[in-house]
Amino acid sequence: MGAGKGEIRVLGIETSCDETAAAVVSWSRSTGPRILSNVVLSQVEEHAAFGGVVPEIAARAHVEALDGIIEAALAESATGLAEVDAIAATAGPGLIGGLLVGLMTGKALAAATGRPLYAINHLEGHALSARLEGDVAFPYLMLLVSGGHTQIVLVKGPGQFERWASTIDDALGEAFDKTAKLLGLPYPGGPNVERAAANGDPHRFDLPLPLKGEARPDFSFSGLKTAVRQAASAIAPLSESDVADIAASFQNAIVETLKDRVGRSLERFQAEFADIAGPVLVVAGGVAANSAIRSALLELCRGRGFTFLAPPMELCTDNAAMIAWTAIERINAGIRPDAEAMALGPRSRWPLDERAAPLIGTGKRGAKA
Ligand code: KG4
Ligand code: ZN
């Protein structure tokens, strides 16, 4: 097995959205998980002029970059293809063109090396990535907040998820991106809204807190977006300080909403798993980069006796280490690679919890995560 005794070594490939990524991750009983390389090429610049991800441009960029990225990941980890025990490629959810590129490359490498191919759910990668860095035991709660998804999932083990809450309209990252556009801030919107908010008055505009106080644990952001539009058009043209005040008020409303909404699922976890002494909330997805949101979640968790875990940013956002790691988790759990993995096609939609009711309104930007 792998390069050393008792070691599993997996090459991961991720092409579901606008990052072309490859990574080599190893695991052994004595060392635990080790990220030997984690190479990510972002396409942000290719898409910036269009104000969002353009699927055709993304697919072409993946085709052009992927071989080189895989070579770099192998070289950086000093791993020869023959030392790889399995290949893991994201098979969904995401943009079909990009998924096809990654999955076909994974199949070709699996066929060439005679190693198994694991077709990985990108969301499972996000859900399990916290275990790459820390000693997090199942079950735990995960809040996934990205450009395409906003959900709270109970993570019970590899392949075992329960969706407890989701957005009923826009994803949180989408709300940040749309607000940025409305305020004339450049793409990608989230970091620019956060930057503008730093100089603004969070209490100048009284924005709604969608679903606040309701018993259902779900999220909603489209009403907030509409309120931002109305606030902006009422005082147009906007000065720089107007933009800062709106951004700050928007971010403040998001923080307040999240505390209320996430709090519901923390309560449920405590009720259902009263015997777990150290409950954990893990956050993943690009929006987890937002420091106001991070500190609000940290404060919320502290107040409720939860440990709040925010993996380092390079593991929160899209990467291939989490895809390789998901395959290792599956191998360690005795889950065999899908016998049909080599015949599988990509899936643009692939919920973690297949039994949960279909998501309403999420994934408008191609069900990316
Ligand atoms: O997980 P991610 O990198 O990509 C996918 O969606 O797959 O998340 C990107 C999203 C974008 O909507 C971006 O605006 C948002 O994360 N984002 C942020 C921040 N940084 C990135 N939102 C709020 N504050 C930030 N600092
Ligand atoms: Zn993602």
Side-chain angles (χ1 to χ4, degrees), residues 163 166 351 353-360:
R163 200 185 73 219
S166 69
D353 181 354
E354 305 253 16
R355 293 158 317 162
L359 298 173
I360 313 159

Side-chain angles (χ1 to χ4, degrees), residues 160-228:
Q160 295 176 50
F161 304 96
E162 274 176 34
R163 200 185 73 219
W164 279 11
S166 69
T167 177
I168 56 170
D169 40 58
D170 294 346
L172 183 51
E174 201 177 354
F176 268 95
D177 293 338
K178 286 179 177 169
T179 296
K181 216 171 207 176
L182 214 128
L183 296 178
L185 299 170
Y187 171 87
N192 289 306
V193 170
E194 180 173 14
R195 223 163 285 138
N199 307 313
D201 171 6
H203 303 294
R204 174 163 162 207
F205 298 92
D206 196 15
L207 299 172
L209 305 179
L211 301 182
K212 185 165 185 214
E214 288 198 21
R216 66 187 294 190
D218 296 314
F219 304 90
S220 164
F221 301 106
S222 77
L224 185 53
K225 180 187 65 195
T226 308
V228 166

